[in-house]
C-alpha cells in the first residue's frame, strides 16, 4: 500500500529565507505527484504537478523536484513571504491502489509559518 | 467557470441523522472524487466516479453512498451519521485527458465541515 510522508510536520522561518519541504513515498509506481497549498478553513489549491517522466516543475518562486526511483520529492520556496504561510500537502497518483484505482494518496502536510 | 462548488459549507448532525453533501462542477470533467480530511491528517478517498452512472469505492467507503446521474453532480450520502464521520469533506474533479502538462490534475472544492454529535 502506498504511503506518503512529509517532513517536517511544521516549520517556522523568518521572511526572506529560502526553504525546502520534503515528501517521500513508498512505492515508485506512480503516474504523477502533485503539491497543494491549503489555507485554514479553505480548500486545496494546486501548486505544481510533476508527471512521473519529469524531474522538476517551476512556477514563480516555487520549484518542485521528483526522484521517482528513490521515492522523493522536494518543494523549494524562494524568498519566502508571510503570504506563503499555509499547510503544504504532497499527493501521489499511484498506478496500483487497493483502495481506489484513481484517487490521490496524500501526506499529512507541512504547516509553514513565515514570520514577518 | 465556478469550478467545483460544494454545499453546505458547515453542518452539525445528531447521531443517526442522515444528510447529503452536494458537489457540482461546471468544467465538464469526467472524473469526480470525494475525500475526507480528519484533523492533522491527509485526505483519504471515499468514493470516485469515472463518468455518469459509474462509481467505485475508495479507501474509506463505509457509512457513505454516492450516485452520479449527470456529469456535473456527484452527491455524497450519509445514512446514519456517527461521531467517526466528523470531518471535512472535499469534492474534486479532473478531465478525462488534458493536453499538455496539466494532465490528471485534480481540482478541489472549498469543502464541507461536518460535525456529528
Amino acid at each position: 500500500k502506498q504511503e506518503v510522508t512529509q517532513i517536517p510536520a511544521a516549520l517556522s522561518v523568518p521572511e526572506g529565507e529560502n526553504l525546502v519541504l520534503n515528501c517521500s513515498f513508498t512505492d515508485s509506481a506512480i503516474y504523477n505527484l502533485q503539491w497543494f497549498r491549503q489555507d485554514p478553513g479553505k480548500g486545496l489549491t494546486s501548486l505544481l504537478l510533476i508527471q512521473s517522466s519529469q524531474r522538476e516543475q517551476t512556477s514563480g518562486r516555487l520549484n518542485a523536484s521528483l526522484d521517482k526511483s528513490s521515492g522523493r520529492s522536494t518543494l523549494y520556496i524562494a524568498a519566502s513571504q508571510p503570504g506563503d504561510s499555509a499547510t503544504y500537502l504532497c499527493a501521489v497518483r499511484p498506478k496500483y491502489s487497493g483502495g481506489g484505482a484513481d484517487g490521490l494518496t496524500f501526506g499529512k502536510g507541512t504547516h509553514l509559518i513565515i514570520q514577518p | 467557470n465556478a469550478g467545483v462548488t460544494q454545499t453546505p459549507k458547515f453542518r452539525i448532525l445528531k447521531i443517526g441523522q442522515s444528510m447529503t453533501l452536494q458537489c457540482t462542477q461546471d468544467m465538464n470533467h469526467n472524473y469526480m472524487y470525494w475525500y475526507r480530511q480528519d484533523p492533522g491528517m491527509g485526505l483519504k478517498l471515499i468514493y470516485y466516479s469515472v463518468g455518469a452512472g459509474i462509481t467505485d469505492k475508495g479507501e474509506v467507503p463505509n457509512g457513505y453512498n454516492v450516485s452520479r446521474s449527470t456529469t456535473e453532480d456527484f452527491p455524497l450520502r450519509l445514512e446514519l451519521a456517527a461521531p467517526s464521520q466528523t470531518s471535512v469533506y472535499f469534492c474534486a474533479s479532473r478531465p478525462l485527458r488534458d493536453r499538455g502538462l496539466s494532465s490528471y490534475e485534480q481540482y478541489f472544492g472549498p469543502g464541507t465541515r461536518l460535525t456529528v454529535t
Side-chain angles (χ1 to χ4, degrees):
Chain A
K1 180 186 170 187
Q2 177 74 266
E3 292 185 3
V4 178
T5 302
Q6 291 187 245
I7 295 173
L11 182 63
S12 180
V13 301
E15 179 179 5
E17 283 200 5
N18 304 324
L19 57 99
V20 174
L21 307 182
N22 295 292
C23 172
S24 62
F25 46 97
T26 55
D27 189 341
S28 62
I30 63 170
Y31 287 111
N32 58 52
L33 182 144
Q34 202 167 349
W35 282 94
F36 294 89
R37 170 187 172 132
Q38 185 176 27
D39 293 286
K42 300 290 178 71
L44 278 67
T45 301
S46 179
L47 298 173
L48 290 164
L49 182 144
I50 311 176
Q51 302 291 354
S52 62
S53 59
Q54 298 174 320
R55 297 286 292 183
E56 66 177 347
Q57 283 286 320
T58 298
S59 176
R61 294 182 294 108
L62 304 180
N63 176 278
S65 68
L66 174 64
D67 184 343
K68 195 176 68 166
S69 60
S70 69
R72 297 184 185 203
S73 176
T74 61
L75 180 66
Y76 175 83
I77 302 176
S80 58
Q81 304 169 358
D84 294 330
S85 298
T87 296
Y88 290 80
L89 294 166
C90 168
V92 299
R93 181 170 174 244
K95 285 190 176 179
Y96 313 109
S97 173
D102 196 64
L104 296 175
T105 300
F106 282 82
K108 294 181 182 180
T110 293
H111 181 56
L112 176 64
I113 296 175
I114 307 299
Q115 306 152 12
Chain B
N1 285 353
V4 180
T5 57
Q6 294 182 237
T7 57
K9 285 188 169 55
F10 305 94
R11 183 73 185 268
I12 298 175
L13 281 183
K14 294 190 187 307
I15 295 171
Q17 286 185 322
S18 61
M19 76 164 293
T20 300
L21 283 67
Q22 302 290 346
C23 175
T24 300
Q25 53 89 14
D26 62 358
M27 298 173 281
N28 201 33
H29 285 173
N30 292 82
Y31 288 76
M32 295 188 74
Y33 310 83
W34 275 106
Y35 294 89
R36 61 177 285 174
Q37 184 180 34
D38 298 328
M41 305 293 285
L43 282 70
K44 296 196 175 191
L45 182 67
I46 306 172
Y47 271 95
Y48 69 101
S49 168
V50 302
I54 307 171
T55 63
D56 208 347
K57 296 177 181 178
E59 185 182 358
V60 290
N62 291 346
Y64 306 94
N65 279 301
V66 294
S67 59
R68 183 96 182 269
S69 56
T70 67
T71 299
E72 294 79 20
D73 301 306
F74 190 39
L76 178 71
R77 178 87 178 158
L78 282 71
E79 290 294 350
L80 290 169
S84 61
Q85 293 178 303
T86 294
S87 191
V88 181
Y89 292 83
F90 290 101
C91 179
S93 71
R94 74 163 176 89
L96 177 62
R97 187 179 296 114
D98 255 354
R99 300 187 207 122
L101 298 177
S102 63
S103 297
Y104 307 116
E105 182 175 356
Q106 291 192 16
Y107 300 82
F108 282 76
T112 293
R113 188 173 297 272
L114 176 67
T115 301
V116 182
T117 62

